[in-house]
Amino acid sequence: MTDDAYKEVFYNLPKENGIGREKDKIGLDIDSTCEIFELGDRSACIKCKKDNSSFADCNEKVLKVNPCNHRLVIVNHEDYISQFNGKKFAEGGRCDLLLFDTEKHKIAFCELGCYSEIYVETKKAKAQKQTKDSMSRFMQTPSGKDFVEQFAKKCLLFARRERMIVPSSGCLQPERAKEELNMQVFNTNPASTSSLVVSDWKVDNVETQFVIVNYPSLYRW
């Protein structure tokens, strides 16, 4: 598939859901790379830094990916879906990003998050819903289903970061006001303590995996 062919998938999805919008009226933020890259939620980071001066030096990254010799395509999925707010097509959860490689090895519906340790389980549940709903939205449309099913592996990816992590060392600096509680949760929850947590899932009867990757651990594609 060429880059233009990938774009056609996203132009066709609204049409198949009864949205008569011309291509030049559909926003699509899409990029690709073969290099190691890092991503974050810019809008969330701006608000966080505004509300918390202690995070002024944060590098604003949540996910670090090694494409492992694949060319990865990165789509701003949330913005893409949000432009159809009010339409049935946009109902349900929407994850932040859609990642896939041009060799059809894997596709990942990705949610980004930067939270204190005490919110791990709550935010994990939210990420599960956002990513599952996003994949299901594709599976309910003929061209979307064909697109997803061509990939050997399907993944729901929760890329998360502890708010007080120091990327250069990978060490955590708990928030002082909640230090004892935060560390108790952090030290006993595998979603926080492991660099990668994988569990088997099904979305619309399609085998997939729910994966948690903790920044600054490198996610190998």
Side-chain angles (χ1 to χ4, degrees), residues 198-218:
V198 181
S199 56
D200 292 327
W201 273 53
K202 277 191 176 182
V203 178
D204 293 354
N205 293 316
V206 175
E207 298 289 343
T208 185
Q209 290 183 322
F210 180 72
V211 178
I212 302 173
V213 57
N214 286 300
Y215 186 83
S217 297
L218 182 66

Side-chain angles (χ1 to χ4, degrees), residues 7 21 23 27 37-38 42 47 52 67 69 77 89 103-104 125 140 166 176 182 190:
K7 292 178 181 179
R21 189 179 298 189
K23 293 180 184 179
F37 62 92
E38 293 184 294
R42 179 60 177 154
K47 183 180 186 304
N52 303 276
N69 299 317
H77 177 266
F89 177 58
E103 293 82 8
K104 302 178 183 178
Q140 298 304 314
V166 180
R176 294 175 184 172
N182 281 347

Side-chain angles (χ1 to χ4, degrees), residues 151-171:
F151 294 93
K153 296 181 179 179
K154 292 84 173 173
C155 176
L156 309 179
L157 180 62
F158 179 27
R160 64 174 301 277
R161 170 186 178 140
E162 301 293 341
R163 293 182 75 190
M164 302 302 288
I165 201 77
V166 180
S168 59
S169 65
C171 295

Side-chain angles (χ1 to χ4, degrees), residues 54 57 63 79 87 93 113-114 121 140 150 153 162 169 186 190 210:
S54 60
D57 295 329
L63 173 65
D79 283 358
K87 305 292 185 180
C114 181
E121 288 303 314
Q140 298 304 314
Q150 70 181 322
K153 296 181 179 179
E162 301 293 341
S169 65
F186 182 80
F210 180 72

Side-chain angles (χ1 to χ4, degrees), residues 175-197:
E175 295 174 79
R176 294 175 184 172
K178 305 173 183 177
E179 182 169 346
E180 183 177 354
L181 179 59
N182 281 347
M183 288 309 294
Q184 180 181 2
V185 173
F186 182 80
N187 288 329
T188 59
N189 195 322
S192 291
T193 56
S194 304
S195 60
L196 193 72
V197 181

Side-chain angles (χ1 to χ4, degrees), residues 92-195:
R94 61 198 67 171
C95 61
D96 294 309
L97 303 170
L98 178 59
L99 310 176
F100 57 90
D101 63 82
T102 56
E103 293 82 8
K104 302 178 183 178
H105 168 66
K106 184 193 301 183
I107 184 170
F109 294 84
C110 177
E111 180 73 3
L112 306 174
C114 181
Y115 311 106
S116 299
E117 301 88 357
I118 57 175
Y119 301 117
V120 168
E121 288 303 314
T122 300
K123 299 304 182 180
K124 181 176 77 172
K126 178 184 177 183
Q128 288 171 337
K129 174 175 171 50
Q130 301 284 64
T131 53
K132 179 178 179 293
D133 285 0
S134 296
M135 179 173 168
S136 183
R137 182 182 290 111
F138 271 69
M139 298 302 294
Q140 298 304 314
T141 301
S143 64
K145 184 174 185 291
D146 289 344
F147 178 68
V148 171
E149 288 186 339
Q150 70 181 322
F151 294 93
K153 296 181 179 179
K154 292 84 173 173
C155 176
L156 309 179
L157 180 62
F158 179 27
R160 64 174 301 277
R161 170 186 178 140
E162 301 293 341
R163 293 182 75 190
M164 302 302 288
I165 201 77
V166 180
S168 59
S169 65
C171 295
L172 183 75
Q173 296 179 347
E175 295 174 79
R176 294 175 184 172
K178 305 173 183 177
E179 182 169 346
E180 183 177 354
L181 179 59
N182 281 347
M183 288 309 294
Q184 180 181 2
V185 173
F186 182 80
N187 288 329
T188 59
N189 195 322
S192 291
T193 56
S194 304
S195 60

